[in-house]
């Protein structure tokens, strides 16, 4: 499988990265996004990915049990893998991370992942570091100099967030954002700015958590935890926090039209 370099780094990765949010060791998360996924299923996913030549895997301290599962899965076969994780919204710390918090979060992640370095360490959300931006940037640079992280990036950063991060001395090689046929907001400002700055985009939820697979044809079919976002009415689930009406009619009309286009392509 062809590989691409992230930003101006020497990290050579496959265009497909395996997101490990659902590697929860059989325990459903509190937000109900994913059902409990047994360890055996996570192992099967990773084994298949490796057989296909995929070398890029992404997790986070906020993903329930994920780092521990990934650590077990890659023990003894870490070489050649590009392993990424994130800090923010961990079990003991949500936001307002200081340099010490970053160091402690990284230490805990490395222990769970059973490795002595990460290829890519990411700020999960801009709110995680807003209060101590310059301090955290310096700490990321320090951890890089220590060899505990090879590079660092950000996640869910808009154009203004990136500008602030760079102004504080940050040198992110990636920005991981929601990007798919149903979520294209990043194309207006953030994407052109990232291209200008040489920052690679890591697109998460390319199938919008299964919506673009064609599996779900109406709101009631979608698991409750995946109806928390603004595509769905806030009344769709008690887990919602956005308080908006959503756009469910437009959503499933678009999905239906995409399905027709896809079927037509197959017929051709």
């Amino acid at each position: 499988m062809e590989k691409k370099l992230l930003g101006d780094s020497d990290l050579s990765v496959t265009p497909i990265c395996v997101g490990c949010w659902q590697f929860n060791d059989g325990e459903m998360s509190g937000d109900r996004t994913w059902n409990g996924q047994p360890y055996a299923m996570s192992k099967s996913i990773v084994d298949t990915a490796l057989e296909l030549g995929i070398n890029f895997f992404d997790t986070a301290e906020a993903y329930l049990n994920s780092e521990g599962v990934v650590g077990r899965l890659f023990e003894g076969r870490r070489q050649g893998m590009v392993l990424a994780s994130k800090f923010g919204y961990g079990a003991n710390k949500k936001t307002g991370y200081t340099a010490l918090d970053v160091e402690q979060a990284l230490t805990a992640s490395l222990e769970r992942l059973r490795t002595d370095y990460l290829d890519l360490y990411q700020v999960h959300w801009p709110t995680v570091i807003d209060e101590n931006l310059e301090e955290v940037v310096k700490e990321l640079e320090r951890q890089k100099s220590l060899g505990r992280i090879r590079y660092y990036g950000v996640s869910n950063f808009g154009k203004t967030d990136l500008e602030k991060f760079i102004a504080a001395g940050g040198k992110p090689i990636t920005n991981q954002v929601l990007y798919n046929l149903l979520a294209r907001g990043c194309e207006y400002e953030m994407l052109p700015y990232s291209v200008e700055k040489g920052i690679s985009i890591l697109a998460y939820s390319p199938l919008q958590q299964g919506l673009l697979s064609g599996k779900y044809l109406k709101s009631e079919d979608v698991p409750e935890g995946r109806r928390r976002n603004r595509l769905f009415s806030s009344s769709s689930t008690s887990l919602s926090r956005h308080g908006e009406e959503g756009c469910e009619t437009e959503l499933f009309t678009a999905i239906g039209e995409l399905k027709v286009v896809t079927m037509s392509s197959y017929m051709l």
Side-chain angles (χ1 to χ4, degrees):
M1 190 178 293
E2 87 173 292
K3 293 185 173 65
K4 298 179 180 293
L5 294 176
L6 294 180
D8 62 355
S9 77
D10 61 354
L11 291 182
S12 181
V13 301
T14 48
I16 296 174
C17 173
V18 177
C20 302
W21 183 7
Q22 73 274 34
F23 287 24
N24 52 32
D25 212 12
E27 185 178 353
M28 178 183 279
S29 59
D31 60 20
R32 303 181 201 169
T33 303
W34 308 109
N35 292 327
Q37 179 169 293
Y39 176 82
M41 182 178 291
S42 299
K43 184 177 185 303
S44 175
I45 291 169
V46 168
D47 289 346
T48 300
L50 294 177
E51 289 172 8
L52 293 172
I54 295 170
N55 75 337
F56 194 13
F57 297 83
D58 176 73
T59 182
E61 68 166 336
Y63 298 166
L64 178 67
N65 299 334
S66 177
E67 288 183 323
V69 171
V70 173
R72 290 164 62 193
L73 288 171
F74 281 101
E75 190 168 30
R77 53 179 179 176
R78 169 76 167 89
Q79 188 173 3
M81 298 300 104
V82 176
L83 192 56
S85 193
K86 314 177 197 71
F87 68 90
Y89 297 92
N92 300 317
K93 185 78 175 180
K94 306 302 179 184
T95 60
Y97 276 57
T98 64
L100 179 60
D101 292 325
V102 172
E103 179 180 41
Q104 291 176 342
L106 176 58
T107 298
S109 288
L110 293 175
E111 290 175 355
R112 286 189 292 266
L113 289 163
R114 305 187 186 190
T115 184
D116 55 4
Y117 73 96
L118 280 172
D119 297 287
L120 179 65
Y121 198 41
Q122 304 153 95
V123 185
H124 208 149
W125 290 87
T127 50
V128 170
I129 61 171
D130 272 351
E131 298 172 29
N132 307 293
L133 180 56
E134 292 186 5
E135 176 184 335
V136 168
V137 167
K138 289 179 181 177
E139 181 60 20
L140 289 170
E141 287 289 341
R142 189 178 79 89
Q143 293 297 333
K144 186 177 174 182
S145 70
L146 293 173
R148 302 217 302 163
I149 60 175
R150 293 182 63 192
Y151 298 95
Y152 59 86
V154 296
S155 180
N156 299 299
F157 274 48
K159 179 175 180 284
T160 300
D161 302 314
L162 280 173
E163 289 174 332
K164 290 179 180 177
F165 192 80
I166 291 171
K171 302 182 182 81
I173 65 166
T174 57
N175 186 12
Q176 185 174 158
V177 296
L178 175 66
Y179 190 24
N180 58 57
L181 288 173
L182 298 173
R184 299 176 60 184
C186 67
E187 293 178 355
Y188 292 97
E189 290 187 338
M190 190 280 294
L191 190 55
Y193 182 75
S194 296
V195 171
E196 176 190 332
K197 296 298 182 181
I199 300 169
S200 293
I201 298 300
L202 304 181
Y204 71 74
S205 293
L207 293 178
Q208 189 55 52
Q209 297 181 344
L211 280 174
L212 287 168
S213 69
K215 181 178 180 180
Y216 307 114
L217 301 180
K218 57 184 184 299
S219 296
E220 303 82 63
D221 295 337
V222 181
E224 185 180 8
R226 302 184 207 174
R227 301 200 304 266
R228 295 179 295 125
N229 61 59
R230 288 181 173 83
L231 292 173
F232 298 90
S233 168
S234 59
S235 62
S236 176
T237 168
S238 60
L239 299 171
S240 175
R241 293 181 294 178
H242 58 72
E244 298 175 13
E245 294 182 1
C247 52
E248 294 171 31
T249 300
E250 296 85 349
L251 168 65
F252 287 99
T253 298
I255 289 174
E257 291 175 353
L258 286 168
K259 198 168 185 179
V260 170
V261 170
T262 302
M263 291 302 294
S264 299
S265 299
Y266 277 126
M267 290 172 67
L268 291 173

